[in-house]
């Protein structure tokens, strides 16, 4: 191998190391027991599921303040299921909050997720944290919320990354990578 | 009912103690005794020899006697469990229907022979004097037969079951062939079909000295049954959760890399017991557990379909001092995992609650709160009220008592009789400190209990709102209710009575969780408790036509739950897994120990010791974070926070976990494991209740 080829190979591997998101997504393959979807867990994050996979929590590192742990929650909203809310209504609520809520949110944007046209937006919600423990202080939680419709009916996946506002930028790229790896079962 | 429970305990103890060789001479077997032995898979050869199932050699005289005693004890226990199950279904003896009464009489009649006279006196209320005379006359037979059928009084310690001590003291009522015809009582068959009568699902397996018991100890764990499925009727969600409880728990936040995929919860529920269930007769426990080689070998009974109280008593046997005293080293192998979870508590009637409220020493405010719970609580109502009626905990509304808890807390203490006494403390309102400037002012919630500061090696900040005798400068309504403002800027808010009722519901349920050990899984316990609380608030909000009675954060959570019920679970996951929750494992997974591990006391001690250290570290971390949070409010200096940090580290370094006695260690593990499963089951019930609630609402 010529010296030039070696140099190119080194440059490529160096670039791949510098920009891990630019190549093949890193992470651990994960799928709930139902097999309804698959994704790549961010390195070091762990998942557990409830209700046979209808609700999955993927937990990240502990927050520096110790009052809220960053994580991704995946919920399958079954069309016609008890308590089902159409995704437009859900988006509207999550972006604006209820009466007396302090919610700031970005515009809803389109994003291709799992081969379908998904939606996502960001929002800040003011909370008193930690929950039911003292001392508690007003804290801004940042939510990065994505909606992934499934082809049949109005069912959709609600994928939400929540973290404290002070750390959410650490997870932004990671969440985009996660969404890219998300595949709903057709 | 209490007497009956005592009898069950006595039977259990006698049954367990009967494992020891009796040492009496073998007797000629009557046909009733032969029938009894056959029922438990003993074989009686034409030459009169008795063979245990799969045994290579016949039993000797003492073995036959012990087998008879075990079989009789099992029969007694089974009868009592059947009766208790019917009583559970009816809600008590006074509510029995004629059909249920007849079923109880039939059960008792068929097993009358196996009850000593003292026990008969307690269950004689179901029969008329004529029937009693007839039963007793039929049971009057040679005392020698009864001696083989009834455990020796010496094997039943009085302290284990004071009201049941006479259970084994009678030796005058012998077995009667006519009372127990061979065909009258079918061979116990487990029927786990959905429509099967639960009272008929009981099946006792009798430990036998069989060839299987001679298996090498190393091979035995593999033969132990996996956790059994729930036998009580349940909703699909509950069943799924219960099944999940026996499955490996999905990955937990841990230093290890994440697994490729989480173990399935519902779809791959363990099927290990299926083979045993499919068998027409339960496998003998002797084939599943170490052989009772030592005189005090393990009472390896396997009970399927036992009613709640029996389960509780068995758990008490395994955990309490009575069980320890009576079983001693035998407790090491005591296997209770196949026990089903207790069913939901019976409905508590409004008159019962009203009677208590009129007589119990509660203030008018507390009575109001309890009435709110009685009238409006849905999920958790019966469990909370059942705890209230059975324990009558002290309930007070008082500031400065709840440490790090914002709205309410549970205090426990042990009295001279080693009984746990519960006190529910409700905070009347939060202690607030306003921070920020201009339009960015906000209130921080500050602990008001002196104990909070002393435990963190801090001195409490001098806030007028936290001094009982300080006068407020002004009082007005604010986001935290009616708020008193003091000269130094500190404030004291007020929780509404409706919100306090929800807090009381939560604390009563947490008290029940502590008592029943289902707080072993903090997350699933909170899922149940908080769902119950939100459903209660939803009913309050429907009546009040709004949720203004909630404080700002509780209202936000309530509204999110109302919009998407599962968001509550997200919230709990993120909160309970954070450092300040002080939990080393919010799922309680550390108790998910394979049954095979329970036979190893050394592992148990090491595990418990390591877990105690983990818990201490988690508490230390949480307290350090509390101090840091307090520093961010400006109420303590950085130097004070650093000093507290140092003191807490020193205290943690000196923490030592006292080793537990082996038997206590194992029973603790079993208790925790049962509690964790119950928590999972309750989370399933919460999910089902939530679906039902929103199915109606939306």
């Amino acid at each position: 191998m010529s010296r030039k080829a070696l140099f190119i190979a080194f440059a490529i591997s160096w670039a791949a190391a510098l920009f891990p998101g630019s190549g093949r997504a890193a992470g651990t393959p994960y799928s709930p027991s139902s097999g309804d979807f698959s994704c790549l867990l961010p390195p070091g994050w762990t998942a557990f599921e409830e209700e046979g996979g209808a609700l999955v929590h993927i937990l990240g590192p502990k927050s520096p303040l110790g009052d809220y742990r960053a994580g991704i929650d995946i919920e399958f909203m079954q069309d016609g299921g008890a308590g089902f809310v159409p995704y437009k209504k859900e988006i509207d609520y999550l972006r604006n909050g209820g009466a007396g809520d302090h919610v700031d949110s970005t515009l809803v944007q389109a994003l291709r997720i799992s081969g379908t046209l998904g939606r996502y937006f960001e929002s800040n919600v003011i909370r008193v944290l930690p929950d039911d423990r003292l001392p508690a202080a007003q804290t801004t939680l940042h939510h990065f919320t994505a909606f992934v419709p499934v082809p049949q009916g109005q069912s959709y996946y609600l994928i939400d990354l929540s973290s404290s506002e002070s750390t959410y930028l650490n997870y932004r790229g990671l969440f985009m990578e996660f969404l890219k790896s998300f595949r709903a079962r057709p | 009912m209490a007497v009956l429970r005592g009898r069950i305990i006595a039977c259990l103890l006698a049954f367990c103690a009967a494992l020891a060789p009796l040492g009496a001479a073998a007797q000629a077997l009557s046909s009733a005794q032969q029938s009894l032995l056959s029922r438990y898979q003993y074989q009686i050869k034409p030459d009169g020899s008795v063979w245990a199932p799969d045994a290579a050699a016949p039993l000797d005289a003492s073995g036959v006697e012990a087998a008879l005693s075990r079989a009789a004890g099992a029969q007694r226990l089974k009868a009592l469990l059947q009766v208790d199950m019917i009583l559970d279904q009816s809600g008590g003896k006074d509510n029995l229907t004629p059909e249920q009464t007849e079923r109880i009489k039939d059960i008792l009649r068929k097993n009358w022979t196996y009850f000593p006279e003292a026990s008969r006196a307690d269950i004689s209320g179901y029969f008329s004097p004529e029937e009693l005379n007839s039963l007793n006359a039929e049971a009057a037979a040679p005392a020698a037969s009864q001696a083989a059928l009834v455990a020796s009084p010496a094997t039943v310690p009085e302290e284990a079951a004071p009201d049941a001590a006479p259970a084994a003291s009678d030796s005058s009522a012998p077995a009667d062939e006519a009372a127990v015809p061979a065909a009258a009582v079918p061979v116990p068959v487990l029927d786990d079909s959905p429509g099967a009568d639960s009272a008929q699902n009981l099946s006792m397996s009798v430990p036998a000295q069989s060839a299987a018991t001679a298996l090498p100890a190393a091979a035995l764990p593999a033969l132990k049954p996996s956790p059994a499925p729930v036998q009580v009727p349940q909703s699909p969600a509950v069943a799924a959760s219960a099944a999940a409880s026996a499955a490996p728990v999905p990955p937990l936040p841990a230093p290890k890399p994440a697994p490729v995929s989480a173990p399935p919860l519902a779809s791959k529920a363990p099927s290990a017991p299926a083979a045993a269930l499919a068998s027409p007769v339960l496998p003998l426990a002797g084939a599943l557990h170490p052989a009772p080689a030592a005189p005090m070998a393990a009472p390896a009974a396997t009970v399927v379909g036992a009613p709640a109280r029996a389960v509780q008593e068995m758990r008490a046997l395994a955990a309490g001092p009575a069980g320890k005293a009576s079983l001693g080293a035998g407790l090491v192998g005591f296997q209770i995992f196949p026990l089903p979870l207790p069913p939901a508590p019976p409905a508590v009637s409004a008159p019962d609650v009203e009677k208590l409220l009129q007589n119990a020493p509660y203030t008018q405010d507390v009575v109001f709160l309890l009435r709110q719970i009685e009238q409006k609580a849905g999920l958790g109502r019966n469990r909370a009220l059942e705890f209230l009626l059975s324990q009558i905990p002290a309930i007070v509304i008082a500031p400065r008592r709840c440490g790090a808890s914002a709205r309410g807390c549970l205090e426990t203490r042990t009295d001279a009789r080693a009984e746990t006494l519960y006190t529910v403390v409700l905070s009347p309102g939060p202690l607030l400190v306003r921070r920020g400037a201009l339009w960015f002012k906000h209130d921080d919630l500050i602990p008001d209990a002196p104990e909070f500061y002393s435990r963190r090696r801090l001195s409490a900040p001098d806030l007028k709102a936290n001094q009982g005798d300080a006068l407020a400068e002004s009082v007005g309504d604010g986001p935290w209710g009616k708020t008193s403002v003091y000269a130094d800027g500190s404030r004291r808010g007020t929780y509404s009575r409706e919100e306090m009722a929800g807090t009381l519901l939560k604390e009563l349920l947490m008290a029940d969780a502590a008592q029943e050990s289902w707080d072993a899984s903090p997350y699933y316990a909170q899922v149940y408790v908080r769902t119950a609380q939100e459903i209660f608030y939803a009913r309050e909000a429907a009546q009040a036509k709004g949720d203004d009675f909630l404080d700002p954060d509780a209202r936000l959570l309530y509204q999110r739950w109302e919009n998407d019920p599962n968001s509550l679970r997200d919230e709990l996951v993120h909160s309970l897994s954070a450092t300040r929750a002080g939990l080393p494992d919010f799922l309680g997974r550390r108790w998910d120990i394979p049954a095979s591990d329970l036979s190893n006391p050394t592992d148990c001690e090491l595990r418990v010791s390591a877990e105690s250290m983990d818990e201490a570290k988690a508490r230390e971390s949480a307290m350090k974070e509390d101090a840091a949070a307090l520093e961010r409010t400006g109420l303590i200096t950085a130097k004070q926070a650093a000093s507290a940090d140092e003191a807490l580290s020193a205290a943690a370094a000196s923490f030592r976990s006292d080793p537990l006695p082996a038997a206590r260690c194992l029973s603790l593990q079993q208790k925790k494991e049962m509690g964790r499963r119950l928590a999972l089951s309750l989370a399933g019930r919460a999910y089902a209740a939530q679906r039902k609630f929103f199915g109606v609402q939306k």
Side-chain angles (χ1 to χ4, degrees):
Chain A
M1 189 181 285
S2 69
R3 185 175 294 181
K4 187 177 178 184
L6 270 176
F7 176 76
I8 292 171
F10 174 74
I12 290 173
S13 61
W14 183 64
L18 271 185
F19 306 102
S22 59
R24 191 165 58 89
T28 312
Y30 171 79
S31 181
S33 58
S34 61
D36 284 344
F37 68 85
S38 65
C39 60
L40 291 177
L41 298 183
W45 292 42
T46 50
F48 83 93
E49 63 180 84
E50 299 183 64
E51 316 302 345
L55 194 60
V56 175
H57 311 280
I58 302 172
L59 287 170
K62 293 189 175 181
S63 104
L65 301 183
D67 49 14
Y68 192 88
R69 188 163 184 166
I72 300 170
D73 302 297
I74 305 168
E75 182 182 359
F76 181 63
M77 307 291 277
Q78 174 83 49
D79 184 8
F84 173 77
V85 180
Y87 86 92
K88 286 183 180 173
K89 193 176 168 190
E90 181 76 5
I91 287 176
D92 189 50
Y93 172 79
L94 291 177
R95 287 187 65 232
N96 300 307
D101 285 358
H102 302 283
V103 181
D104 296 322
S105 56
T106 64
L107 293 173
V108 181
Q109 298 180 55
L111 181 71
R112 182 173 293 279
I113 309 172
S114 186
T116 62
L117 184 62
R119 300 278 191 279
Y120 80 96
F121 64 91
E122 297 175 48
S123 58
N124 283 332
V125 181
I126 294 179
R127 292 284 317 278
V128 177
L129 291 177
D131 177 39
D132 209 24
R133 186 179 172 93
L134 300 174
Q138 263 196 12
T139 309
T140 303
L141 282 186
H142 182 272
H143 290 264
F144 203 128
T145 311
F147 291 80
V148 185
V150 297
Q152 293 83 24
Q154 294 188 58
S155 302
Y156 59 91
Y157 282 95
L158 173 59
I159 306 176
D160 182 64
L161 165 69
S162 56
S163 61
S164 63
E165 191 191 24
S166 59
T167 59
Y168 90 97
L169 283 175
N170 300 346
Y171 308 124
R172 187 178 190 142
L174 177 147
F175 187 60
M176 294 306 289
E177 288 296 326
F178 176 82
L179 289 180
K180 280 182 191 172
S181 74
F182 186 86
R183 294 282 180 278
R185 187 170 63 183
Chain B
M1 297 282 276
V3 172
L4 187 57
R5 272 181 277 163
R7 291 288 166 225
I8 292 174
I9 296 174
C11 277
L12 269 172
L13 293 174
F15 174 58
C16 299
L19 291 171
L22 298 181
Q27 302 157 32
L29 294 177
S30 68
S31 60
Q33 290 168 329
Q34 290 184 24
S35 168
L36 182 64
L37 289 175
S38 300
R39 205 172 300 149
Y40 292 101
Q41 306 300 296
Y42 287 87
Q43 293 178 21
I44 300 164
K45 298 286 170 82
D47 62 358
S49 60
V50 179
W51 294 63
D54 303 324
L59 297 175
D60 59 12
S62 63
V64 171
E65 199 168 357
L68 279 169
S69 179
R70 283 195 296 270
Q75 200 64 24
R76 273 203 305 278
L77 180 58
K78 178 186 163 193
L80 288 173
L81 290 176
Q82 285 178 318
V83 170
D84 200 36
M85 187 173 283
I86 296 172
L87 290 174
D88 269 353
Q89 288 171 349
S90 69
K93 190 177 176 182
D94 297 338
N95 302 324
L96 286 170
T97 64
E99 185 198 352
Q100 287 171 325
T101 306
E102 202 49 49
R103 280 166 60 198
I104 289 178
K105 287 171 71 174
D106 190 45
I107 292 165
L108 295 178
R109 202 178 285 123
K110 286 174 179 171
N111 295 285
W112 194 256
T113 309
Y114 307 117
F115 288 102
E117 272 189 355
S119 296
R120 291 176 188 173
D122 291 330
I123 54 178
S124 61
Y126 294 100
F127 299 100
S128 66
E130 293 76 21
E131 289 173 319
L132 276 178
N133 288 337
S134 170
L135 283 169
N136 287 330
E138 287 173 357
S145 299
Q146 182 63 16
L149 294 173
V150 178
S152 162
T155 63
V156 182
E158 290 184 5
E159 66 274 18
D163 59 342
S169 62
D170 177 68
S171 61
S172 62
D176 184 88
E177 295 177 18
V180 191
V185 183
V187 172
V189 173
L190 180 72
D191 180 5
D192 63 342
S193 60
D197 182 353
S198 58
Q200 300 304 320
N201 279 356
L202 290 172
S203 187
M204 292 292 303
S205 62
V206 181
Q209 292 173 326
S210 65
T213 62
L215 283 170
L220 289 169
L223 295 172
K224 286 185 177 178
S226 297
V230 177
Q231 295 291 310
V232 291
Q234 291 173 330
S235 67
V238 175
S241 290
S245 71
V249 172
L252 178 79
K256 295 177 184 175
V260 171
S261 63
L265 282 177
S267 60
K268 294 180 184 174
S271 57
L277 300 184
S279 169
V281 179
L282 276 180
L284 288 176
L288 301 172
H289 300 276
M296 287 299 291
T302 302
V303 184
V304 178
R309 290 212 181 87
V311 173
Q312 287 163 3
E313 301 295 358
M314 284 178 161
R315 284 194 299 181
L317 269 179
K324 189 177 163 188
S326 59
L327 298 175
L331 189 62
V332 169
F334 197 84
Q335 177 60 273
I336 63 169
F337 282 116
L339 290 173
L341 297 172
V348 177
S349 68
D352 285 346
V353 177
E354 198 54 40
K355 190 177 171 186
L356 173 78
L357 296 184
Q358 287 174 0
N359 296 306
Y362 294 136
T363 63
Q364 286 303 309
D365 285 339
V366 172
V367 167
F368 173 84
L369 303 181
L370 289 170
R371 283 212 178 97
Q372 294 286 100
I373 292 173
E374 190 278 312
Q375 291 164 7
K376 291 173 188 163
L379 178 72
R381 174 193 179 275
N382 292 331
R383 188 168 287 277
L385 294 179
E386 177 74 14
F387 178 84
L388 178 78
L389 294 179
S390 61
Q391 300 293 321
I392 315 182
I395 303 173
V396 295
I397 301 172
R400 293 182 284 279
R401 285 195 44 185
C402 273
S405 297
R407 298 175 179 86
C409 59
L410 184 68
E411 292 177 355
T412 57
R413 64 187 173 86
T414 307
D415 69 2
R417 293 175 299 170
E419 288 183 0
T420 305
L421 303 177
Y422 298 91
T423 301
V424 176
V425 183
L426 302 173
S427 169
L431 174 64
L432 305 163
V433 171
R434 182 150 285 195
R435 287 203 297 149
L438 299 176
W439 298 280
F440 302 104
K441 285 183 179 175
H442 60 269
D443 294 319
D444 288 346
L445 277 67
I446 307 298
D448 58 1
E451 186 204 357
F452 172 90
Y453 296 96
S454 60
R455 289 191 65 190
R456 287 157 185 78
R457 316 305 198 262
L458 292 167
S459 52
D462 186 23
L463 298 173
K464 288 196 180 299
N466 204 26
Q467 298 167 359
D469 53 354
L471 287 176
E473 285 194 334
S474 65
V475 178
D477 288 332
W480 294 93
K482 188 176 175 184
T483 304
S484 303
V485 183
Y486 293 83
D488 60 355
S490 61
R491 295 153 187 262
R492 175 71 75 172
T494 310
Y495 294 122
S496 69
R497 297 211 294 180
E498 291 80 4
E499 182 168 358
M500 286 171 69
T503 305
L504 178 55
L505 173 64
K506 178 189 168 196
E507 296 302 336
L508 286 174
L509 289 173
M510 287 311 294
D512 184 71
Q515 191 185 44
E516 298 288 319
S517 294
W518 52 276
D519 58 356
S521 174
Y523 171 66
Y524 289 112
Q526 284 288 329
V527 164
Y528 180 79
V529 170
R530 295 290 289 270
T531 305
Q533 199 180 12
E534 300 298 357
I535 289 177
F536 173 79
Y537 286 148
R539 293 183 172 188
E540 285 279 11
Q543 189 179 17
K545 295 187 169 44
D547 53 16
D548 292 342
F549 58 86
L550 293 171
D551 69 58
D553 204 51
R555 186 164 58 242
L556 179 71
L557 284 180
Y558 166 70
Q559 289 177 353
R560 296 224 155 200
W561 171 82
E562 197 181 28
N563 187 68
D564 176 9
N566 284 333
S567 65
L568 177 68
R569 296 186 176 214
D570 300 343
E571 172 74 23
L572 288 173
V573 166
H574 296 289
S575 297
L576 293 176
S577 62
T579 310
R580 287 187 64 191
L583 300 170
D585 182 346
F586 73 102
L587 287 176
R589 195 184 62 160
R590 60 190 186 278
W591 293 106
D592 186 34
I593 300 160
S596 57
D597 286 357
L598 291 175
S599 57
N600 189 338
T602 309
D603 280 358
C604 181
E605 289 170 44
L606 289 174
R607 192 188 295 260
V608 168
S609 176
E611 285 158 2
S612 298
M613 296 299 288
D614 286 348
E615 286 168 3
K617 282 180 188 168
R619 279 197 303 271
E620 176 209 348
S621 300
M623 288 199 284
K624 284 180 178 176
E625 292 288 355
D626 289 342
L630 212 53
E631 183 199 339
R632 287 193 292 275
T633 65
L635 291 175
I636 63 169
T637 63
K639 189 178 176 183
Q640 287 174 306
S643 171
D645 193 293
E646 198 174 319
L648 288 169
S649 295
S654 63
F655 177 80
R656 292 286 178 274
S657 173
D658 293 331
L660 283 174
R664 176 72 185 135
C665 180
L666 292 171
S667 67
L668 179 68
Q669 294 230 24
Q670 290 176 328
K671 195 176 175 186
K672 290 277 184 183
E673 174 63 14
M674 286 293 289
R676 197 186 66 82
R677 291 182 191 195
L678 180 55
L680 255 172
S681 170
L682 290 176
R685 286 178 192 166
Y687 185 73
Q690 187 173 270
R691 285 173 62 87
K692 186 179 173 187
F693 180 79
F694 283 105
V696 173
Q697 297 289 313
K698 292 189 177 182

